[in-house]
Amino acid sequence: MALDTLKLGLIGAGRMGSLHAEHVTQRIPRATILAVADVNEAATRECANTCGIPRAIGDYHEILATSEIDAVLICSATDTHAQAIVDAAAAHKHIFVEKPIAQNLIDTDRALAAVEAAGVKLQVGFHRRFDPTYLRVHHAIRHGDIGTPHMFHIVSRDPHPPHLEYLLACGGLFLDMTIHDFDMSRFLIGSEVEEVYAVGGALIDPAHGQDGHVDTALLMVKFQNGVFGSIDNSRQAVYGYDQRVAVLGSRGAIETENHFPNETTISTAENIHRDLPLNFFMHRYTEAYTTEIATFVDAVCDDKPTPVTGADGRIAVVMGLAAQRSLAENRPVKLSEVPGA
Amino acid sequence: MALDTLKLGLIGAGRMGSLHAEHVTQRIPRATILAVADVNEAATRECANTCGIPRAIGDYHEILATSEIDAVLICSATDTHAQAIVDAAAAHKHIFVEKPIAQNLIDTDRALAAVEAAGVKLQVGFHRRFDPTYLRVHHAIRHGDIGTPHMFHIVSRDPHPPHLEYLLACGGLFLDMTIHDFDMSRFLIGSEVEEVYAVGGALIDPAHGQDGHVDTALLMVKFQNGVFGSIDNSRQAVYGYDQRVAVLGSRGAIETENHFPNETTISTAENIHRDLPLNFFMHRYTEAYTTEIATFVDAVCDDKPTPVTGADGRIAVVMGLAAQRSLAENRPVKLSEVPGA
Amino acid sequence: MALDTLKLGLIGAGRMGSLHAEHVTQRIPRATILAVADVNEAATRECANTCGIPRAIGDYHEILATSEIDAVLICSATDTHAQAIVDAAAAHKHIFVEKPIAQNLIDTDRALAAVEAAGVKLQVGFHRRFDPTYLRVHHAIRHGDIGTPHMFHIVSRDPHPPHLEYLLACGGLFLDMTIHDFDMSRFLIGSEVEEVYAVGGALIDPAHGQDGHVDTALLMVKFQNGVFGSIDNSRQAVYGYDQRVAVLGSRGAIETENHFPNETTISTAENIHRDLPLNFFMHRYTEAYTTEIATFVDAVCDDKPTPVTGADGRIAVVMGLAAQRSLAENRPVKLSEVPGA
Amino acid sequence: MALDTLKLGLIGAGRMGSLHAEHVTQRIPRATILAVADVNEAATRECANTCGIPRAIGDYHEILATSEIDAVLICSATDTHAQAIVDAAAAHKHIFVEKPIAQNLIDTDRALAAVEAAGVKLQVGFHRRFDPTYLRVHHAIRHGDIGTPHMFHIVSRDPHPPHLEYLLACGGLFLDMTIHDFDMSRFLIGSEVEEVYAVGGALIDPAHGQDGHVDTALLMVKFQNGVFGSIDNSRQAVYGYDQRVAVLGSRGAIETENHFPNETTISTAENIHRDLPLNFFMHRYTEAYTTEIATFVDAVCDDKPTPVTGADGRIAVVMGLAAQRSLAENRPVKLSEVPGA
């Protein structure tokens, strides 16, 4: 039985929660947010006011107890994702959760088991799969435009590093940042990963190197179908948010460019230049974030599978853990070596 | 005394009216549309339903009679613009009107006189002034990035011709299509136009050539400050909506590219290619259309001047009339030769 | 009876003469230069030394009197071209002449009549026809890749103005610089020109405006087949030598970019930039200049028609004269209005 | 004591030998080739005829015995390089040798010892160091344009695989093809390599996989200064010869594009496309090959150091051997693990 519209609860009123709230309110007519919950009272109130959400509360369990609410968007701190999933599943709410599901496999599997047991839908926030440029690459490969894929290269660089505090607490570069590229590689190549090799360093700032952390990394990923590729990550590309991918195949190649705030080129006596690319992930991926949630809403309303599953979210975590070990031991690590994988 | 929010009436529920209604509803929190009026009852109802507009009526005079309404968006057929302006001014509503004000100067001046007499604000719908790419060019020139402008070239081509009926009734290529480029040339060069020369033909389809109409044209425009430039118009660029501008100055040059649906390039054994540019003016200029109305809303609420005035709208009409005469007489025509100019 | 190799005499040891001498010596094995003549003794000697030319003489009539010499390259001052052609034809030498044939039609026709009477071959130096990029456009149009041409735009800008003395003596912008674009428009469109309209000004430096001269100009050209287009000329593009063309057709469009010294892009915190395009016509067109002479050599050796004829050279002069009159009278001028045309 | 001009002997009249002969004859006035030697009599004769080389002989020892000859260009089969170097050094000839010096370190070191003992100059044929685009990258990095380098990515793909026979006999992908990229990474990063990791497969054609050979490979290289990067090699890019590099630094990034035969873009109803890049390494690198030999000639004539030394050639071989081992053992291999390194 299809739903006409979806009644949502928003868990987390931080940056991502507010972004999704804005998109739901302005651009996703099929959904409406009935309540937002965050331990940060001020943030909750502001989010509710800005987006016209009727209820702003502190404890997300109130949302889960609201029978009228069909589904939740979990956008709280990463270390609360797993428990929120467990709780939401127990309350029989469908779940959209920001990546990663958790920073370890035990929590990840606990969350997925709860989802499985409750029979609710789960979608993980790999929004790049919904970006028109990456989608175009995906479709071209599926359509055979470049023949059989052989090799790929993903560039994913942030414009500037986060605060040191965040950097040390985020679960590491691989689970915080590369996790998107891990998912993208699977999305594009359409096979499963066998092995990961990672090198890295604290090249931007030695302070980033505490506890084995890195701010710059290069990874090599081998797939079961024989494809291999590299992922290039940096916490600091001074020229802006750099998000590109290239795939070589037997019958061609495909590459993407960044997105720019305008399409203007200026020629002077010094050089020929254009403005820097869109600098902020929220601007770069506005459309992708909106489509992501709209697709989740449609999946729940129409009882269709979600396009990014719990299994997708889990594999990305396994890849991140394998990469951490590879970096520590300086050798290629098979996914099967990750305990619990 | 500043208004917090603006209460709008929408006159015309066609393509442009519906577009503005959608933008106001979804993206312009400072405005709300209280009523929509169109002689086409079905269109009015659909527009009202889609955008949650409380009242859908047939006669726009009802809107003008609603004291609660502060301002109107006139998006009805071109030949009704002037009278609607006169009526709205008489009702002391602020006015946003789609281009052109009218297809002749008598009506144009009658409308502008009514606005003047009523002391209401008027903004004409030259939305390209609000597009990020054209704005970047404007700012670069004002900022002196290319020194003193010397020469320009504007390309403005539609992906495919309108129906013959529209083409013959629209007031001609110059008032229907080139009028945007006339305004753009003034916006970028920042001087007034002295003379226009136009050549053209029915090159796409001889049927377009009825009554002296053309479907392809090249115009030369001379400004009082010595700058000159060309405008390249076609009703049919099979590769998509082609909207670009280039300006040469004493210290550099600036050029723009089209906007594309994605930033993906595919290399095959045949060639290196990318998808066609955004094909539809509503997609190409989504952001510009929104900013245009948001700026009008702010201008009325904060009692500031509107960014595109009645005088701007009038000059573009004079240029169109001069171009028509130039084409007919195959000679450069001064704006001062246009009766009433 | 085909010649194995061509024995050349070079008339004029200036910039163009030396360039052709270098290309013949290094890259055109089928030709050899036996003598170079120039009134400037030092230049003649240097050219001869650099390129290993056996004879360096002052008076070109010595070259014409050398029976061993098959053909001449006339690269002397523009005002000597016509007489040199007449003399060379009388001596039964085949002739390559730099553009323009002359700065007026009387001299042009006198030269062409001499060539006709002597039955020798004549090629005019419109080297851009041999440039790989322009050739690609030509072939694409001939091949129907863009359907029937409708409209074109040619940009041709020098990096910096010549000395004032040269500028005032060169025959004017249209015969000195635009003449290449006149020829290019005919080469690409494949029809004959009916009418020219020109606007212009001394925008770079008021001193350039003496005697009605201009340093910046915009021209409109109408062809007999209904195609029209614009030509954009400037004596100063501070960012380098700007040479581009764009053609719109019924089934597509074609555009060219400048040539750059390298294919490197640098992204910094300020912008994304690349180096300026090749700044000097001799570097930009090295390949075209070489192919041009090689083609002349082949045409003479194999007794084939030359690819750029005296008629081609003459029409470009007529267009230049029509443009001068158009500028002076501010009206479109038909080629048939040019006395003698 | 500087030499005015250099007298050369050419050893090897195959593809590379003939190319260098042509460049020396046509474009390098400071050198002349007195003799060419190759066991293939027909090739030797043709090369001599084409380039006007006075002597065509079978045994290169005759060249070495010619006291008039100052230096040799060794362009014979790879497995003859080392012995030819030893012989030439013994004859006190300066030496330019195509890459690689040898396919193993014993031969490499024997050759370098002979050069050292004889005190002659040696230059190894890493021509890409002389390409304007790669040079621009090198200079930008040295000049600090992108700050301190952090990470790089090199793409080097051939348009189509060589014959199977060649592929199996060439010493493997790493010594035959990647060796250029190994050298390029050192040239750009300006540090020494510590470790190499390689993955690869016979993805284009399983037949390429005999004896552990690969036709597609991805390598990771770590430098002593903390920089790391990847090298992407394929024997088959169906769209043409793909040669690019990208470097990320602390203050910016630099990237290169391929070279194209023309700068023309065609827009049709289907897509926007341009022609494939230059497809053949001899066309892509014409200028680099010429500058390479001209620089060698200058180094010998003016008694300056050669720009690519025997040590440079040796390190590239060590990297190739380390990569072979890495691929075989699927682990990162330190250069110090290579026997003899």
Side-chain angles (χ1 to χ4, degrees):
Chain A
M1 186 194 69
L3 293 173
D4 272 355
T5 59
L6 195 67
K7 297 190 179 60
L8 293 170
L10 174 61
I11 299 176
R15 199 160 63 164
M16 287 309 304
S18 301
L19 184 82
H20 289 312
E22 193 185 313
H23 292 164
V24 169
T25 306
Q26 293 180 3
R27 307 192 184 195
I28 305 179
R30 207 179 187 186
T32 179
I33 301 179
L34 296 192
V36 51
D38 198 302
V39 291
N40 181 329
E41 200 181 320
T44 319
R45 215 162 34 219
E46 194 193 326
C47 178
N49 286 343
T50 304
C51 297
I53 299 173
R55 289 171 62 203
I57 55 192
D59 182 348
Y60 71 74
H61 292 89
E62 281 190 51
I63 285 181
L64 301 184
T66 306
S67 62
E68 201 186 0
I69 287 177
D70 306 304
V72 292
L73 310 179
I74 301 177
C75 308
S76 48
T78 293
D79 56 8
T80 67
H81 287 182
Q83 187 59 44
I85 292 173
V86 169
D87 293 346
H92 287 283
K93 307 300 185 199
H94 300 289
I95 300 162
F96 171 89
V97 63
E98 274 303 322
K99 61 85 209 170
I101 297 176
Q103 288 172 5
N104 59 67
L105 276 189
I106 292 175
D107 286 343
T108 300
D109 288 344
R110 193 165 58 92
L112 295 185
V115 166
E116 177 82 18
V120 295
K121 288 184 191 296
L122 172 69
Q123 181 174 327
V124 180
F126 289 131
H127 63 284
R128 293 184 197 168
R129 289 191 180 211
F130 303 91
D131 175 74
T133 291
Y134 288 106
L135 261 181
R136 184 67 181 85
V137 177
H138 177 82
H139 289 319
I141 293 174
R142 288 301 169 278
H143 189 255
D145 292 357
I146 62 164
T148 306
H150 286 174
M151 199 159 37
F152 65 87
H153 184 61
I154 295 176
V155 171
S156 182
R157 301 167 182 165
D158 274 347
H160 38 71
H163 294 297
L164 186 57
E165 196 182 0
Y166 175 89
L167 195 142
L168 299 176
C170 69
L173 187 77
F174 301 139
L175 284 175
D176 181 51
M177 196 167 151
T178 322
I179 196 164
H180 281 295
D181 308 305
F182 287 145
D183 184 65
M184 182 51 61
S185 71
R186 291 180 62 244
F187 180 59
L188 296 182
I189 299 308
S191 172
E192 289 305 333
V193 173
E194 206 163 77
E195 195 178 279
V196 174
Y197 175 59
V199 302
L203 303 185
I204 299 160
D205 187 341
H208 295 161
Q210 286 177 41
D211 307 327
H213 280 282
V214 296
D215 55 25
T216 309
L218 188 55
L219 298 100
M220 206 175 282
V221 179
K222 281 198 242 180
F223 280 80
Q224 288 171 4
N225 65 357
V227 173
F228 37 82
S230 41
I231 297 172
D232 164 319
N233 285 152
S234 170
R235 291 282 193 187
Q236 178 184 284
V238 298
Y239 52 88
Y241 192 43
D242 193 350
Q243 300 273 298
R244 290 173 292 156
V245 68
V247 186
L248 170 69
S250 60
R251 295 222 310 269
I254 190 162
E255 294 213 15
T256 67
E257 241 303 352
N258 285 308
H259 290 216
F260 289 81
N262 62 64
E263 301 298 329
T264 305
T265 302
I266 301 181
S267 301
T268 67
E270 199 178 35
N271 60 35
I272 297 185
H273 61 269
R274 68 177 304 181
D275 292 341
L276 297 178
L278 288 173
N279 197 49
F280 190 39
F281 71 95
M282 290 182 169
H283 298 159
R284 165 66 179 83
Y285 286 119
T286 299
E287 194 168 344
Y289 281 122
T290 305
T291 311
E292 167 185 62
I293 301 296
T295 308
F296 171 70
V297 167
D298 286 348
V300 174
C301 287
D302 302 334
D303 194 14
K304 294 179 302 189
T306 57
V308 193
T309 66
D312 291 322
R314 186 183 194 277
I315 291 173
V317 174
V318 173
M319 290 176 76
L321 297 171
Q324 287 177 347
R325 186 153 167 192
S326 170
L327 180 69
E329 303 182 3
N330 192 32
R331 64 174 184 88
V333 169
K334 291 199 185 309
L335 296 208
S336 58
E337 294 183 61
V338 175
Chain B
M1 188 194 66
L3 293 173
D4 271 354
T5 59
L6 196 67
K7 297 190 179 60
L8 293 170
L10 174 62
I11 299 176
R15 198 160 64 163
M16 286 310 303
S18 301
L19 183 82
H20 289 312
E22 192 184 313
H23 292 164
V24 168
T25 306
Q26 292 179 3
R27 306 191 186 198
I28 306 179
R30 207 180 187 184
T32 180
I33 301 179
L34 297 192
V36 52
D38 198 302
V39 292
N40 180 331
E41 200 180 321
T44 319
R45 216 162 32 220
E46 192 192 328
C47 178
N49 286 344
T50 305
C51 298
I53 300 173
R55 292 171 60 201
I57 56 195
D59 182 348
Y60 71 74
H61 292 90
E62 280 190 51
I63 284 181
L64 301 183
T66 306
S67 62
E68 202 185 0
I69 287 176
D70 306 304
V72 292
L73 309 180
I74 301 177
C75 308
S76 49
T78 293
D79 56 7
T80 68
H81 286 182
Q83 188 58 46
I85 292 173
V86 169
D87 293 345
H92 287 284
K93 308 300 184 197
H94 300 289
I95 300 161
F96 171 89
V97 64
E98 273 304 321
K99 60 87 209 170
I101 296 175
Q103 288 172 5
N104 61 67
L105 276 191
I106 292 174
D107 286 343
T108 300
D109 288 343
R110 193 165 56 92
L112 295 186
V115 166
E116 176 83 17
V120 295
K121 288 182 192 297
L122 173 68
Q123 181 174 327
V124 180
F126 289 131
H127 62 285
R128 293 183 197 168
R129 290 190 180 211
F130 302 91
D131 175 73
T133 290
Y134 288 106
L135 261 181
R136 185 66 181 86
V137 177
H138 177 81
H139 288 319
I141 293 174
R142 288 301 170 276
H143 189 256
D145 292 358
I146 63 164
T148 305
H150 286 175
M151 201 160 35
F152 66 88
H153 184 62
I154 295 176
V155 171
S156 182
R157 302 169 182 163
D158 274 347
H160 38 70
H163 294 297
L164 186 57
E165 195 182 359
Y166 175 90
L167 195 142
L168 299 176
C170 68
L173 188 77
F174 302 138
L175 284 175
D176 181 51
M177 196 166 151
T178 323
I179 197 164
H180 281 296
D181 308 306
F182 288 145
D183 184 65
M184 182 52 60
S185 71
R186 292 180 62 245
F187 179 60
L188 296 182
I189 300 308
S191 171
E192 289 305 334
V193 172
E194 207 164 76
E195 195 177 279
V196 173
Y197 175 59
V199 303
L203 303 186
I204 299 161
D205 186 342
H208 295 161
Q210 285 177 42
D211 307 328
H213 280 282
V214 296
D215 55 23
T216 310
L218 189 54
L219 297 100
M220 207 175 283
V221 179
K222 281 199 241 179
F223 280 81
Q224 289 171 3
N225 65 356
V227 172
F228 38 82
S230 40
I231 296 172
D232 164 319
N233 285 153
S234 170
R235 291 282 193 186
Q236 179 185 284
V238 297
Y239 54 87
Y241 192 42
D242 193 350
Q243 301 271 299
R244 289 172 293 156
V245 67
V247 186
L248 171 68
S250 59
R251 296 222 310 269
I254 190 161
E255 294 212 16
T256 67
E257 240 305 349
N258 285 308
H259 290 215
F260 289 81
N262 62 65
E263 301 298 328
T264 305
T265 302
I266 302 181
S267 301
T268 67
E270 200 179 34
N271 60 33
I272 297 186
H273 60 271
R274 68 176 306 179
D275 292 341
L276 297 178
L278 288 173
N279 197 49
F280 189 39
F281 71 94
M282 290 183 169
H283 298 159
R284 166 66 179 82
Y285 286 119
T286 299
E287 193 168 344
Y289 281 121
T290 305
T291 312
E292 168 185 62
I293 301 296
T295 307
F296 170 70
V297 168
D298 287 347
V300 174
C301 287
D302 302 333
D303 194 13
K304 292 180 303 190
T306 57
V308 193
T309 67
D312 291 323
R314 185 184 194 277
I315 291 172
V317 173
V318 173
M319 290 177 75
L321 297 171
Q324 287 177 347
R325 186 152 167 192
S326 171
L327 181 70
E329 302 182 4
N330 192 32
R331 65 173 184 90
V333 170
K334 292 199 186 308
L335 296 208
S336 58
E337 295 184 61
V338 174
Chain C
M1 186 196 66
L3 293 173
D4 271 354
T5 59
L6 195 67
K7 297 192 180 60
L8 293 169
L10 173 62
I11 298 176
R15 198 160 63 165
M16 287 309 303
S18 300
L19 183 82
H20 289 312
E22 193 184 313
H23 292 164
V24 168
T25 306
Q26 292 179 4
R27 306 191 185 197
I28 306 179
R30 206 180 188 185
T32 182
I33 301 178
L34 296 192
V36 51
D38 197 303
V39 291
N40 180 330
E41 200 180 321
T44 320
R45 217 163 29 221
E46 193 192 326
C47 178
N49 285 344
T50 304
C51 298
I53 300 172
R55 290 172 61 201
I57 55 194
D59 182 348
Y60 72 72
H61 293 89
E62 279 191 52
I63 285 181
L64 302 183
T66 305
S67 63
E68 204 185 357
I69 287 176
D70 306 305
V72 292
L73 309 179
I74 301 177
C75 308
S76 48
T78 293
D79 56 8
T80 67
H81 287 181
Q83 188 58 46
I85 292 173
V86 169
D87 293 345
H92 287 283
K93 308 300 183 197
H94 300 290
I95 300 162
F96 172 89
V97 64
E98 273 303 321
K99 60 87 210 169
I101 296 175
Q103 289 173 3
N104 61 67
L105 276 190
I106 293 175
D107 286 344
T108 300
D109 287 343
R110 193 165 56 93
L112 295 185
V115 166
E116 177 82 17
V120 295
K121 288 183 191 298
L122 173 69
Q123 182 174 327
V124 179
F126 290 131
H127 63 283
R128 292 183 197 169
R129 290 191 180 210
F130 302 91
D131 175 74
T133 290
Y134 288 105
L135 261 181
R136 185 66 181 86
V137 178
H138 177 82
H139 289 319
I141 293 173
R142 288 301 169 277
H143 189 255
D145 291 358
I146 62 163
T148 306
H150 286 174
M151 200 160 34
F152 65 88
H153 184 61
I154 295 176
V155 171
S156 182
R157 303 168 182 164
D158 274 347
H160 39 70
H163 295 296
L164 186 58
E165 195 182 1
Y166 176 90
L167 194 141
L168 300 175
C170 69
L173 188 77
F174 301 138
L175 284 175
D176 181 50
M177 198 167 150
T178 322
I179 196 164
H180 281 297
D181 308 307
F182 288 145
D183 185 65
M184 182 52 61
S185 71
R186 292 180 61 245
F187 180 60
L188 296 182
I189 300 307
S191 172
E192 289 305 333
V193 172
E194 206 163 75
E195 196 177 279
V196 174
Y197 174 59
V199 302
L203 303 184
I204 299 161
D205 186 344
H208 294 162
Q210 286 177 41
D211 307 328
H213 279 282
V214 296
D215 55 24
T216 309
L218 189 54
L219 297 101
M220 207 175 283
V221 179
K222 281 199 240 177
F223 280 80
Q224 289 171 3
N225 65 356
V227 173
F228 36 84
S230 41
I231 297 172
D232 164 320
N233 284 151
S234 170
R235 291 282 192 186
Q236 179 185 285
V238 298
Y239 53 88
Y241 192 43
D242 193 349
Q243 301 272 298
R244 290 173 291 156
V245 67
V247 186
L248 171 69
S250 60
R251 294 223 311 270
I254 189 162
E255 294 213 15
T256 67
E257 241 304 350
N258 284 308
H259 289 215
F260 289 80
N262 62 65
E263 302 298 328
T264 305
T265 301
I266 302 181
S267 300
T268 67
E270 199 179 35
N271 60 34
I272 297 186
H273 62 269
R274 68 177 306 180
D275 292 341
L276 297 178
L278 288 172
N279 197 50
F280 190 39
F281 71 95
M282 290 182 170
H283 298 158
R284 165 67 179 82
Y285 287 119
T286 300
E287 194 168 343
Y289 281 122
T290 306
T291 312
E292 167 184 64
I293 301 296
T295 308
F296 170 70
V297 167
D298 287 348
V300 174
C301 287
D302 301 335
D303 195 14
K304 293 180 301 190
T306 56
V308 193
T309 67
D312 291 323
R314 186 183 193 278
I315 291 173
V317 173
V318 173
M319 290 177 76
L321 297 170
Q324 287 176 346
R325 186 153 167 191
S326 171
L327 181 70
E329 303 182 4
N330 191 33
R331 63 173 186 90
V333 170
K334 292 200 185 309
L335 296 208
S336 58
E337 295 183 62
V338 175
Chain D
M1 190 193 66
L3 292 173
D4 272 353
T5 59
L6 195 67
K7 297 190 180 60
L8 294 169
L10 173 62
I11 297 175
R15 197 160 63 164
M16 287 308 304
S18 301
L19 183 82
H20 289 311
E22 194 184 312
H23 291 163
V24 169
T25 306
Q26 292 179 4
R27 305 191 186 197
I28 306 179
R30 206 179 187 185
T32 181
I33 301 178
L34 296 192
V36 52
D38 198 303
V39 291
N40 180 329
E41 201 180 321
T44 320
R45 218 164 30 223
E46 193 192 327
C47 177
N49 285 344
T50 304
C51 298
I53 300 172
R55 291 170 62 200
I57 56 194
D59 181 347
Y60 71 74
H61 293 88
E62 280 190 51
I63 284 181
L64 302 183
T66 307
S67 62
E68 203 185 356
I69 287 176
D70 305 304
V72 292
L73 309 179
I74 300 176
C75 308
S76 48
T78 293
D79 57 6
T80 68
H81 287 182
Q83 187 59 45
I85 292 173
V86 169
D87 293 346
H92 288 282
K93 308 301 184 197
H94 299 290
I95 300 162
F96 172 89
V97 63
E98 273 303 322
K99 61 86 210 171
I101 296 176
Q103 288 171 4
N104 60 67
L105 277 190
I106 292 175
D107 285 344
T108 300
D109 287 344
R110 194 165 56 93
L112 295 185
V115 167
E116 176 82 18
V120 295
K121 289 182 190 299
L122 173 69
Q123 181 174 328
V124 180
F126 290 131
H127 62 284
R128 293 183 197 169
R129 291 191 180 210
F130 302 90
D131 175 74
T133 291
Y134 288 106
L135 261 181
R136 184 67 181 86
V137 177
H138 177 82
H139 289 318
I141 294 174
R142 288 302 170 278
H143 188 256
D145 292 357
I146 62 164
T148 305
H150 287 174
M151 200 159 36
F152 65 88
H153 185 61
I154 295 176
V155 171
S156 181
R157 302 168 182 165
D158 274 347
H160 38 70
H163 294 296
L164 186 58
E165 195 183 0
Y166 175 89
L167 195 141
L168 299 176
C170 68
L173 188 76
F174 302 139
L175 284 174
D176 182 49
M177 197 167 151
T178 323
I179 196 164
H180 282 295
D181 308 305
F182 288 145
D183 185 65
M184 183 51 62
S185 71
R186 292 180 61 244
F187 180 60
L188 296 182
I189 300 307
S191 172
E192 289 305 333
V193 172
E194 207 163 75
E195 196 177 280
V196 174
Y197 175 59
V199 302
L203 303 185
I204 299 162
D205 186 341
H208 294 161
Q210 285 177 42
D211 307 328
H213 280 281
V214 296
D215 54 24
T216 308
L218 188 56
L219 298 100
M220 206 175 284
V221 179
K222 281 199 241 178
F223 280 80
Q224 289 171 3
N225 65 356
V227 173
F228 36 82
S230 42
I231 297 172
D232 165 318
N233 285 152
S234 170
R235 291 283 193 186
Q236 179 184 286
V238 297
Y239 54 88
Y241 192 43
D242 193 350
Q243 300 272 298
R244 290 173 291 156
V245 68
V247 186
L248 170 68
S250 59
R251 296 222 310 269
I254 190 162
E255 293 213 16
T256 67
E257 241 303 351
N258 284 309
H259 290 216
F260 290 80
N262 62 64
E263 302 298 329
T264 305
T265 301
I266 302 181
S267 300
T268 68
E270 198 179 36
N271 59 33
I272 298 186
H273 61 269
R274 69 177 305 180
D275 291 341
L276 297 178
L278 288 173
N279 198 49
F280 189 38
F281 70 95
M282 290 182 169
H283 298 160
R284 165 68 178 82
Y285 287 119
T286 300
E287 194 168 344
Y289 281 121
T290 305
T291 311
E292 167 184 62
I293 301 296
T295 307
F296 171 70
V297 167
D298 287 347
V300 174
C301 287
D302 301 334
D303 195 13
K304 293 181 302 190
T306 57
V308 193
T309 66
D312 291 322
R314 186 183 193 278
I315 291 172
V317 173
V318 173
M319 291 176 75
L321 297 171
Q324 287 178 347
R325 187 154 167 192
S326 170
L327 180 70
E329 303 181 4
N330 191 33
R331 64 173 184 89
V333 169
K334 290 198 186 311
L335 296 209
S336 58
E337 295 183 60
V338 174

